[in-house]
Amino acid sequence: MAADSTMPQDSKVSRRSLLAAAGAVAGGAALAGAPRVARAAGRSFDAEADVIVVGGGGAAFAAAVGAAQGGTRVLLLEKAAAIGGTTARSGGAYWVPNNHVMRREHGVRDPKEWAVKLMARLAFPSVYDPQAPYSGLDRFSHEALSSFYDLAPQVFERLERGGVIRSEIAALLPTQNATDGIDWTHPEYHAHLPENRAPYGRTLHPVGSEGGGGGSLMTGLATYARRQGVRVLTSQHVVQIATNSKGEVVGVQAQTPEGERLYRAKRAVVFGTGGFTQDRSKVMNYLRGPIFGGCAVPTNTGDFIDMASQLGARLGNMRNGFFVQHVLEQALANSSVVDDLWIPPGDAMVMVNRYGVRVASEKTPYNEHTQSHFVWDTTRGEYPNLVQFFVYDDVVANDPMQAYGMPIPVPGRRSPFVISGQTIGELASNIQKRLDKLRGRVAVNGAIGPSVRLADGFADNLSRTIERFNSYARDGRDPEFGRGSTPIQVSWGGPRRRGNDKNPSMYPFAGSGPYHCILIGGGTLDTNGGPVVDTNGRVLHVSGQPIKGLYGAGNCVASLAGQAYWSAGGTLGPGVALGFTAGENASSEPVKEV
Ligand SMILES: Cc1cc2nc3c(=O)[nH]c(=O)nc-3n(C[C@H](O)[C@H](O)[C@H](O)COP(=O)(O)OP(=O)(O)OC[C@H]3O[C@@H](n4cnc5c(N)ncnc54)[C@H](O)[C@@H]3O)c2cc1C
């Protein structure tokens, strides 16, 4: 989408007074943008709108749609050359508790008390106490969850009524077996928890968008926004927030191919600029575990954190992300990885660490599984699971049903990431050769340093691990990690192999090779920490008061989900619902003087 050069240059306000005021509010000399003030002094605004939305993904476009009601003029500024962000790459599913589709079309109830408890337990497990006030959470976090439960279904129902997005219950897998519109074989990721009283039906996606929902979601939002007159400018890298002498937000400054531009927001600015996965320094400093890359688009470098910090914003949830595993070599080649592992396919497969031992149920959903990479060995002083080794037999490799998903290539297709060996010993030796080749490669905050090598005895340990796994598979029970013991692990773990009447997620390895391995590293869909927002989407100052005229939603702000990935759609449900709300509230802000 090309930049819109028809934007009227209709403001007469001096740029000098504006950014000078921003300097005063944010602490003068400490303001990183101060030199730009001098260069730009004396020029008037390049364009004006009631509400400016920064970013061009799902949260930002939802904000633009929410703001563009009743004649509000909205200007949307996107850093990349095209809109869409990570949202356009996504499955486009959104998790909405108590949504209108589950209630009205399928009669499924989702009582608030239990839905909020479920969200609280998963978001803040270390303090969760179902008997305590606010379930053990601080009041602010609990209110955020409670408000999300009330608000999200209303937003998606309004989006449907307004003709923006029509939703249906998501059928996310080709193996789905839907009856009456609900795939009753497709449970939530945490369907087994006692707090989960509605384990089917909260995940929605745009009608008819199986497999390509991100594009459909973006098309719905962007088409509606444009129809409402939202002006969209691309190649606009917003670098600074402008404030008036009262500290109210009155615009933004952007770097563009044509030079710097200053945009006036009469009422408010809403940020939807994604997380910081693609900024190595922020990933190193904030995230609680080492990752090698992430699915976020290359432009998601956490710019809002820098800009909002200059205005004294409170930061939250910085250590968390929506975690996912990647093929290590893909992440090393490009930290913005398009592919990710949801739940690894295959029944005769294990994932082991550098000692050749399993570290988790291989079939746990991505956000949980990825955290197994972050385990710190206090005695050895190392991350033993930093790189994991996805090992599978040749039957899985050649069975199109077993090998239907990332990272195993479709049978018959070769992948440079697959390492093979006729025996486990040969496989181990080939894995070590590959690690030697990768030595020194550096990623977002992981590196193939000297510690990333197979430990002595890896091959013997791996053989013993496989023997033990085979006996578990024959029993149909994994006493170590409970593989296949929750509905999602069975539903998404791959098809049941003929003759396996026990646990479909496990099958004994073939007695002879070849065997195969793919190197796996931790990553994110994107991070989800940043400035803290209230239930209206207003960014809070460290004092606890809202920064007037500043809003945010999506992965650029502190997620109310804490460390959780509630289920499929757990990022876009809150992102779109809270983006829309932020936009709507921004449009009713009073006009700010400059
Ligand atoms: C393969 C895949 C499948 C996924 N499936 C799902 C799913 O089904 N459901 C789900 O909930 N999540 C899913 N996700 C995750 C989901 O895509 C993201 O969490 C979500 O899209 C984030 O939305 P956002 O609007 O916050 O950010 P983004 O969509 O990343 O948008 C941020 C935008 O801001 C722009 N920007 C950044 N900085 C600036 C700046 N300074 N100035 C101007 N613009 C800026 C960026 O260029 C980008 O366009 C998936 C991700 C992937 C990769």
Side-chain angles (χ1 to χ4, degrees):
M1 207 165 295
D4 180 351
S5 55
T6 61
M7 179 68 73
Q9 308 214 344
D10 49 3
S11 174
K12 300 283 179 288
V13 182
S14 156
R15 177 186 284 246
R16 175 189 309 179
S17 56
L18 185 83
L19 287 175
V25 168
L31 189 69
R36 279 195 286 274
V37 178
R39 277 208 308 281
R43 286 190 46 201
S44 49
F45 284 107
D46 296 289
E48 178 186 279
D50 293 306
V51 172
I52 288 180
V53 175
V54 186
F61 265 94
V65 169
Q69 325 259 343
T72 304
R73 291 173 309 153
V74 180
L75 167 62
L76 183 141
L77 304 170
E78 162 57 46
K79 181 175 176 180
I83 61 163
T86 315
T87 308
R89 292 179 169 185
S90 79
Y94 28 96
W95 190 83
V96 186
N98 198 32
N99 65 66
H100 62 291
V101 187
M102 70 196 285
R103 270 186 287 122
R104 300 242 178 98
E105 293 180 24
H106 304 285
V108 176
R109 288 189 63 245
D110 188 2
K112 179 169 181 177
E113 180 193 353
W114 289 105
V116 173
K117 277 195 161 66
L118 177 74
M119 289 189 271
R121 171 179 175 162
L122 293 165
F124 304 101
S126 59
V127 293
Y128 174 70
D129 174 355
Q131 308 305 334
Y134 307 117
S135 295
L137 277 55
D138 62 82
R139 187 175 165 176
F140 180 88
S141 303
H142 193 266
E143 261 175 25
L145 299 178
S146 169
S147 157
F148 171 65
Y149 174 93
D150 293 333
L151 188 114
Q154 292 172 28
V155 168
F156 282 94
E157 196 167 359
R158 286 176 64 190
L159 289 174
E160 183 149 322
R161 279 208 308 268
V164 186
I165 320 163
R166 215 151 60 79
S167 300
E168 63 183 358
I169 292 185
L172 293 165
L173 289 180
T175 53
Q176 39 91 12
N177 175 25
T179 54
D180 191 27
I182 290 195
D183 180 359
W184 295 103
T185 62
H186 172 69
E188 293 219 323
Y189 297 171
H190 307 282
H192 56 292
L193 296 181
E195 288 87 349
N196 200 340
R197 303 297 165 98
Y200 298 88
R202 294 189 186 113
T203 299
L204 303 176
H205 67 181
V207 168
S209 67
E210 287 84 357
S216 303
L217 180 64
M218 281 311 305
T219 303
L221 291 168
T223 306
Y224 183 87
R226 283 177 181 279
R227 264 210 313 267
Q228 294 297 104
V230 173
R231 287 180 176 274
V232 176
L233 299 182
T234 53
S235 301
Q236 304 281 319
H237 179 185
V238 171
V239 290
Q240 195 169 355
I241 299 166
T243 53
N244 64 17
S245 57
K246 294 185 205 157
E248 298 166 331
V249 170
V250 293
V252 294
Q253 186 175 6
Q255 289 171 350
T256 80
E258 290 79 36
E260 284 184 354
R261 292 287 181 271
L262 185 61
Y263 298 113
R264 159 91 161 116
K266 289 181 78 175
R267 296 180 188 277
V269 176
V270 187
F271 276 78
T273 45
F276 56 80
T277 293
Q278 305 305 344
D279 181 297
R280 184 156 193 259
S281 160
K282 291 191 182 81
V283 168
M284 290 285 292
N285 283 297
Y286 299 139
L287 275 195
R288 66 189 153 98
I291 62 165
F292 286 91
C295 294
V297 285
T299 38
N300 285 5
T301 48
D303 303 351
F304 188 37
I305 293 169
D306 301 328
M307 287 182 259
S309 297
Q310 289 176 355
L311 301 186
R314 171 182 294 176
L315 300 181
N317 209 40
M318 300 303 285
R319 67 205 184 99
N320 287 315
F322 294 120
F323 294 114
V324 75
Q325 291 174 302
H326 296 297
V327 170
L328 176 72
E329 290 174 85
Q330 279 188 331
L332 289 173
N334 180 356
S335 74
S336 179
V337 198
V338 179
D339 288 329
D340 54 65
L341 274 71
W342 284 19
I343 292 186
D347 51 10
M349 60 76 76
V350 290
M351 286 173 77
V352 297
N353 68 8
R354 76 185 201 91
Y355 294 93
V357 298
R358 295 173 65 214
V359 300
S361 164
E362 291 81 353
K363 304 290 182 181
T364 35
Y366 37 96
N367 185 56
E368 326 305 322
H369 199 178
T370 304
Q371 293 172 55
S372 68
H373 289 261
F374 305 160
V375 170
W376 178 248
D377 184 322
T378 55
T379 302
R380 294 187 179 109
E382 64 172 19
Y383 286 110
N385 313 336
L386 181 67
V387 172
Q388 294 183 26
F389 304 88
F390 181 121
V391 177
Y392 55 103
D393 73 5
D394 207 44
V395 179
V396 167
N398 288 300
D399 178 349
M401 291 307 287
Q402 288 295 332
Y404 69 85
M406 264 287 287
I408 302 178
V410 174
R413 213 175 270 173
R414 289 176 65 80
S415 159
F417 309 123
V418 177
I419 305 162
S420 301
Q422 280 305 321
T423 62
I424 293 296
E426 188 177 287
L427 180 68
S429 143
N430 289 340
I431 294 172
Q432 185 55 57
K433 280 185 201 145
R434 182 69 60 94
L435 290 175
D436 291 342
K437 229 193 245 172
L438 297 174
R439 172 72 52 84
R441 299 281 292 278
V442 175
V444 176
N445 78 341
I448 309 300
S451 69
V452 185
R453 50 176 292 280
L454 299 185
D456 292 344
F458 174 87
D460 289 344
N461 281 346
L462 177 57
S463 297
R464 277 194 290 274
T465 294
I466 290 174
E467 266 169 42
R468 236 185 348 264
F469 171 82
N470 288 350
S471 76
Y472 299 162
R474 283 190 287 272
D475 282 355
R477 213 174 67 80
D478 171 14
E480 284 182 86
F481 300 109
R483 175 156 148 181
S485 64
T486 67
I488 190 69
Q489 295 193 29
V490 174
S491 171
W492 283 25
R496 184 184 289 276
R497 203 189 288 209
R498 193 188 291 260
N500 180 2
D501 59 355
K502 293 197 170 137
N503 184 337
S505 74
M506 299 195 286
Y507 199 84
F509 274 63
S512 58
Y515 300 103
H516 310 281
C517 174
I518 299 171
L519 311 181
I520 305 295
T524 65
L525 292 172
D526 204 351
T527 60
N528 55 13
V532 174
V533 292
D534 67 10
T535 52
N536 296 314
R538 296 180 300 184
V539 173
L540 300 183
H541 187 264
V542 284
S543 67
Q545 294 303 309
I547 297 174
K548 289 194 177 137
L550 187 61
Y551 288 75
N555 290 344
C556 72
V557 298
S559 174
L560 76 165
Q563 73 174 72
Y565 203 108
W566 291 314
S567 198
T571 84
L572 282 167
V576 170
L578 302 180
F580 180 90
T581 305
E584 194 167 45
N585 291 330
S587 70
S588 56
E589 282 263 336
V591 171
K592 320 267 178 315
E593 300 301 327
V594 279

